[in-house]
């Protein structure tokens, strides 16, 4: 489940997920019928429209052993909120995983054979941290990456200020929160900031780019998909 944001704006992340899972022996399919999971509609109060999208998503991913999403917020929407919208979504909800928890909890791996010789800091996104409770799984995966220098992010558990429509409705507060998060990233001296959600990385990376910091925002999947034989190449 690529998620609409990744599919339309960050397709390299989706490709990285496929590459990574296939390398680990999974048979990966991308159902063309998938659409938005409905989280934006749900959060804005459009419950009927969100239910329509939830039922469509349940039909689209029916029959798969697992549905893997490179997004804590979208995985959280499906797993935690779908069952309250319609009974037909219960089965897909129980088989949906955020990428890091699928790797660690289902496949039972932390060393995925990745190679990424860069100084990296990790931002734990709110939904992955608080809704899904992925804990230190992304950090365990990053610590096993050869060549990677992982540095702790100050104030890591603090929200970056994106929050979907929150950034539009509360722009001043969102900008202030982003400023704090960017300062934390810069204080680490890292050249790459990573996370499990491209929505947060879009917010953080956009701010870092506008300041010409030279720090790149890169999804966790792209780091884990990088190997010495097929290294990550910057396309953003």
């Amino acid at each position: 489940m690529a998620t609409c944001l990744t599919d339309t704006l960050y397709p390299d992340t989706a490709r990285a997920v496929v590459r990574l899972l296939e390398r680990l022996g999974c048979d990966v399919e991308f159902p063309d019928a998938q659409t938005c999971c409905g989280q934006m509609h749900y959060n804005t109060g459009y419950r009927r429209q969100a239910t329509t999208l939830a039922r469509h998503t349940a039909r689209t991913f029916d029959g798969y052993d697992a549905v893997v999403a490179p997004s804590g917020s979208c995985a959280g929407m499906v797993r935690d909120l779908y069952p309250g919208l319609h009974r037909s979504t219960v089965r897909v909800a129980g088989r949906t995983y955020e990428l890091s928890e699928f790797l660690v909890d289902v496949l039972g791996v932390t060393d995925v054979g990745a190679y990424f010789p860069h100084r990296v800091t990790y931002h734990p996104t709110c939904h992955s941290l608080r809704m899904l409770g992925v804990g230190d799984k992304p950090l365990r995966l990053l610590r096993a990456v050869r060549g990677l220098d992982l540095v702790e992010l100050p104030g890591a558990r603090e929200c970056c200020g994106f929050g979907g429509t929150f950034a539009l409705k509360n722009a001043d507060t969102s900008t202030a929160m982003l400023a704090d998060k960017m300062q934390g990233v810069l204080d680490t001296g890292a050249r790459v900031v990573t996370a499990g959600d491209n929505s947060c990385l879009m917010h953080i990376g956009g701010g870092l780019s506008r300041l010409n910091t030279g720090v790149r925002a890169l999804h966790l999947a792209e780091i884990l998909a990088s190997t010495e034989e097929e290294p990550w190449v910057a396309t953003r």
Side-chain angles (χ1 to χ4, degrees), residues 29-45:
E29 293 187 12
F30 177 89
D32 291 334
Q34 62 182 285
T35 60
C36 176
C37 68
Q39 185 189 55
M40 293 184 292
H41 309 72
Y42 183 90
N43 289 346
T44 315

Side-chain angles (χ1 to χ4, degrees), residues 77-153:
M77 173 67 186
V78 175
R79 199 160 79 203
D80 284 21
L81 300 177
Y82 268 22
L85 291 175
H86 198 271
R87 63 181 180 276
S88 67
T89 66
V90 172
R91 184 162 55 182
V92 74
R95 297 176 180 175
T96 297
Y97 304 89
E98 182 268 343
L99 177 63
S100 71
E101 60 180 1
F102 179 75
L103 294 173
V104 176
D105 293 343
V106 180
L107 297 187
V109 297
T110 51
D111 186 346
V112 299
Y115 173 74
F116 194 80
H118 303 280
R119 188 176 178 89
V120 176
T121 193
Y122 168 71
H123 165 66
T125 64
C126 291
H127 282 95
S128 65
L129 188 67
R130 298 175 176 89
M131 179 179 274
L132 295 178
V134 301
D136 68 345
K137 294 179 181 69
L139 291 171
R140 289 162 64 187
L141 290 161
L142 288 169
R143 291 185 188 119
V145 175
R146 290 186 301 115
L148 189 147
D149 179 16
L150 181 64
V151 287
E152 184 177 354
L153 177 64

Side-chain angles (χ1 to χ4, degrees), residues 3-12 198 202 236:
T3 79
C4 52
L5 180 71
T6 291
D7 191 32
T8 54
L9 297 178
Y10 302 106
D12 282 350
N198 272 324
M202 178 175 65
R236 303 187 191 184

